[in-house]
Amino acid sequence: MAGKSRYGWLGVFFLICCGLAVSVGAASLPKYGGTLHLSLLTEPTSLDPAKILLDVDRQLCQLLYDTLVVKDNDGNISPRLAKSWEASPDGKTWTFTLRDGLSFHNGRKITAKDVVYTFKRALLKGAQAKIQPLLGNISGAERYLADPGRDLTGIFSIGESAVQISLNRLDYNFLSKLASPYLSIVPSEDIIEKGDDFFLAPSGSGPFQFTSWERQRKIIFSVNDQYVFGRPYVDQLDFSVIDDPGAGILKFELEELDIYDIPSFDYQRFRDNRVWRDNIRETREVIACFVGINCLKPPFDNPQARKALNYAIDRQSIIDILLAGQGEKSKGVLPAGVRKTLPAPNSFPYDPGFAQKLLVSGISAEEANREIVFWTPNDPPELVRIAERIQVNLLDVGINVYLQEKSWAEIYRALQPEAKGEKPHIFLLSFLARNDNPQTFLTDLFSVKGQYNLFNYRSREVDQLLTLAKQSTSLNERFGMLAKVESIVVDEAPAIFLYYTSRKLIFQPRVMNLEIIQSQPNLIKLWLRQ
């Protein structure tokens, strides 16, 4: 879940990689300089790539660091810090050669030893639920984790510019995994010097470098003039932490912010304004809002009980009343901007009577009287109101819900597989697609090792189909398998699928060449009219 928009992710998103884009305000010649003022709906938990927790962490880290390779919107792998690579005939030994002229923000040259250090540190110090699927297949990783005094035999440097990695098993997705921001390359000396405080003043090699962090208020990045892949146009990124969309849109109107997500209750006002209507960009629907269900926690270890929750919710009233009509009822799992040509499975209509029948036939009286714990993010306010409406709908079918408001970080930490302590029965979340690939969306959420599978959902058939789809060279075959995955997920109902929505961005007239790549402003190519 990866930052946040007003639906739970970073207020302004960004991509470094190339892709299909809509460009605006590009008539003049680009100019260097100026400060771009942006917002964060919530503060990051860490700027250490190995310890990324929320999407806000991930998105900010992608501006500060680089990885060996990058993945474009179609899942294709391109060189980044590594200029080339070779695989052995059996696909289990990989050799990567670094580019010339690479350096960290502290001025030191990047070498192969930094890659080795980064991967070893990630295995030992990183979030295991995220790092293990990425690096756990390296030869010797299991022994290294058990006894860090031993060397990690499966990775070593060859001179200053080459790294060799050996795997236990063939992994068709290995290159793709190396594009993960969790494996961004870091300088060992800065981490050794700063210890656990590295995340407060990090150093990487990305297009921007860390300047300052005033907790709960502001984060500032400055441009990396020596960025080997091309200097960004703006000199500085100024991120203000603004957890109230009403306050955020006011700051935008006062010209204190350059780009902002329009809150649903303000959209029509700006759309009808001749001054602003040409400065609005609406993306395809790539945000899915849902109520996650803990599939291991009774009574929701029973799929019938999970289906009952889906029939109990009046989605259209949520959209019409609480979102001012700015949303679309879920049709299956995939938002329209991700679905492509996949057929939509049957969705759950609002039918409280049928929900009650499912509950009566599938849940014991004792389970029916149990109080259900429901966690909701405490910002933005509209999510709390949505949670309260869901609470009323569930009460109407006889389900007593105890609603608890928590921060995004609290919810996400508590839902990690390794986290101890009490977990909720259900929880309200929204998910922004990382790209428009339905394979990525379904894998992230519903694979047993999916990085955003917070439901404790397990399906051997889903995992097998996702693996086969990844390996398939036939688009029709792949989409057929992904359609089957979505159908299984909907039938087993690990979540209450609520609605989809798009991002609606508004920008100041001084923002030029704003490219929207898969719903995210590209902060590398835009420039400011002085």
Side-chain angles (χ1 to χ4, degrees):
M1 336 204 51
K4 292 162 50 176
S5 72
R6 60 194 175 92
Y7 296 97
W9 271 271
L10 183 61
V12 174
F13 289 87
F14 25 76
L15 269 185
I16 297 174
C17 307
C18 296
L20 297 176
V22 176
S23 180
V24 296
S28 306
L29 292 176
K31 299 177 181 179
Y32 291 96
T35 297
L36 186 69
H37 297 276
L38 305 168
S39 70
L40 307 175
L41 185 58
T42 190
E43 187 171 58
T45 62
S46 178
L47 295 179
D48 181 341
K51 299 180 181 181
I52 289 171
L53 181 67
L54 302 176
D55 253 9
V56 61
D57 308 349
R58 179 173 62 85
Q59 298 286 356
L60 290 175
C61 282
Q62 286 182 306
L63 293 174
L64 296 175
Y65 303 94
D66 277 316
T67 48
L68 287 179
V69 299
V70 291
K71 186 163 53 174
D72 68 17
N73 298 318
D74 296 318
N76 301 312
I77 302 299
S78 301
R80 201 62 176 180
L81 296 182
K83 67 179 180 181
S84 62
W85 53 85
E86 294 180 357
S88 61
D90 63 1
K92 295 196 293 184
T93 300
W94 293 77
T95 304
F96 296 86
T97 302
L98 299 182
R99 295 179 184 271
D100 297 327
L102 298 174
S103 63
F104 289 114
H105 297 150
N106 63 14
R108 182 174 67 75
K109 177 182 178 181
I110 298 175
T111 71
K113 289 183 178 179
D114 295 304
V115 179
V116 175
Y117 173 83
T118 294
F119 285 21
K120 287 182 175 181
R121 175 179 180 265
L123 268 172
L124 289 180
K125 302 291 187 180
Q128 286 303 302
K130 311 300 182 187
I131 302 298
Q132 188 64 23
L134 301 175
L135 300 179
N137 188 29
I138 292 180
S139 298
E142 188 173 338
R143 292 191 300 273
Y144 181 65
L145 282 170
D147 180 8
R150 303 179 65 166
D151 196 18
L152 178 57
T153 56
I155 179 170
F156 56 90
S157 58
I158 304 173
E160 285 198 340
S161 60
V163 177
Q164 188 170 102
I165 303 174
S166 299
L167 307 179
N168 293 315
R169 301 172 303 280
L170 176 64
D171 182 355
Y172 291 102
N173 299 322
F174 180 62
L175 270 181
S176 177
K177 291 176 179 179
L178 296 185
S180 169
Y182 293 98
L183 302 182
S184 299
I185 308 306
V186 294
S188 59
E189 67 274 22
D190 281 14
I191 293 174
I192 293 170
E193 176 189 344
K194 298 170 184 174
D196 291 339
D197 289 335
F198 172 75
F199 82 96
L200 294 172
S203 176
S205 63
F208 292 91
Q209 53 192 353
F210 178 85
T211 301
S212 64
W213 184 352
E214 186 179 347
R215 301 304 294 268
Q216 299 297 330
R217 188 171 178 272
K218 189 180 291 291
I219 296 175
I220 296 176
F221 293 168
S222 57
V223 70
N224 177 6
D225 285 312
Q226 306 303 316
Y227 191 50
V228 70
F229 301 104
R231 179 201 193 278
Y233 287 107
V234 297
D235 287 339
Q236 185 168 287
L237 302 178
D238 185 322
F239 297 95
S240 295
V241 179
I242 305 172
D243 60 8
D244 180 354
I249 203 66
L250 177 61
K251 284 182 176 292
F252 177 85
E253 292 184 273
L254 293 173
E255 300 184 15
E256 295 176 19
L257 293 174
D258 288 308
I259 306 173
Y260 197 69
D261 279 85
I262 308 176
S264 55
F265 52 79
D266 272 319
Y267 174 72
Q268 201 59 47
R269 174 168 70 88
F270 283 103
R271 174 56 68 188
D272 293 341
N273 187 310
R274 283 182 293 180
V275 174
W276 288 113
R277 67 176 55 160
D278 292 334
N279 283 45
I280 295 174
R281 290 298 176 269
E282 182 171 354
T283 68
R284 292 173 293 178
E285 291 179 330
V286 291
I287 301 170
C289 189
F290 54 86
V291 176
I293 304 173
N294 189 337
C295 297
L296 295 181
K297 199 172 183 75
F300 302 119
D301 51 348
N302 181 342
Q304 194 147 303
R306 303 197 295 264
K307 289 182 182 179
L309 298 187
N310 273 279
Y311 283 108
I313 305 303
D314 186 355
R315 296 162 176 79
Q316 195 61 53
S317 71
I318 290 173
I319 294 168
D320 293 342
I321 298 171
L322 301 180
L323 299 178
Q326 302 302 313
E328 179 185 350
K329 282 196 301 185
S330 291
K331 299 181 181 70
V333 175
L334 298 168
V338 179
R339 179 168 297 284
K340 295 187 176 179
T341 60
L342 266 67
N346 293 328
S347 55
F348 293 95
Y350 175 48
D351 191 340
F354 188 61
Q356 288 177 310
K357 289 181 180 178
L358 287 176
L359 290 170
V360 169
S361 61
I363 298 178
S364 68
E366 180 183 355
E367 289 176 327
N369 292 326
R370 180 179 306 181
E371 186 174 64
I372 301 303
V373 177
F374 182 12
W375 287 359
T376 180
N378 53 18
D379 64 75
E382 67 185 40
L383 282 183
V384 178
R385 293 193 291 271
I386 289 170
E388 290 171 344
R389 177 59 63 97
I390 292 169
Q391 182 184 32
V392 171
N393 283 166
L394 295 179
L395 184 60
D396 288 343
V397 298
I399 299 176
N400 297 312
V401 173
Y402 175 45
L403 189 61
Q404 292 181 308
E405 296 180 28
K406 295 180 177 288
S407 72
W408 284 95
E410 283 180 296
I411 292 175
Y412 196 67
R413 281 196 185 99
L415 293 176
Q416 295 304 306
E418 69 270 18
K420 307 297 183 184
E422 194 61 28
K423 299 179 187 288
H425 295 85
I426 57 177
F427 47 93
L428 181 62
L429 289 176
S430 55
F431 182 73
L432 173 71
R434 291 193 287 137
N435 52 48
D436 67 353
N437 187 340
Q439 169 95 34
T440 304
F441 194 95
L442 293 168
T443 300
D444 279 350
L445 285 171
F446 304 110
S447 164
V448 68
K449 293 184 178 179
Q451 59 182 309
Y452 301 113
N453 182 351
L454 306 176
F455 326 102
N456 289 310
Y457 174 68
R458 304 288 184 267
S459 169
R460 181 174 298 178
E461 185 177 7
V462 163
D463 289 337
Q464 289 173 341
L465 285 167
L466 287 171
T467 299
L468 291 172
K470 182 74 174 180
Q471 297 170 0
S472 176
T473 58
S474 165
L475 186 63
N476 287 336
E477 182 182 58
R478 185 186 313 145
F479 275 22
M481 288 186 280
L482 295 178
K484 177 66 173 175
V485 166
E486 185 180 24
S487 178
I488 294 170
V489 169
V490 170
D491 186 59
E492 296 185 347
I496 305 172
F497 308 108
L498 294 175
Y499 60 84
Y500 314 130
T501 189
S502 58
R503 298 192 69 206
K504 300 171 180 66
L505 299 173
I506 190 166
F507 58 96
Q508 299 289 352
R510 78 186 194 117
V511 176
M512 310 299 289
N513 197 41
L514 174 62
E515 290 186 349
I516 308 298
I517 305 176
Q518 301 297 347
S519 86
Q520 304 180 24
N522 186 330
L523 303 187
I524 309 303
K525 294 185 177 181
L526 65 77
W527 54 277
L528 301 175
R529 188 172 60 199
Q530 305 299 319

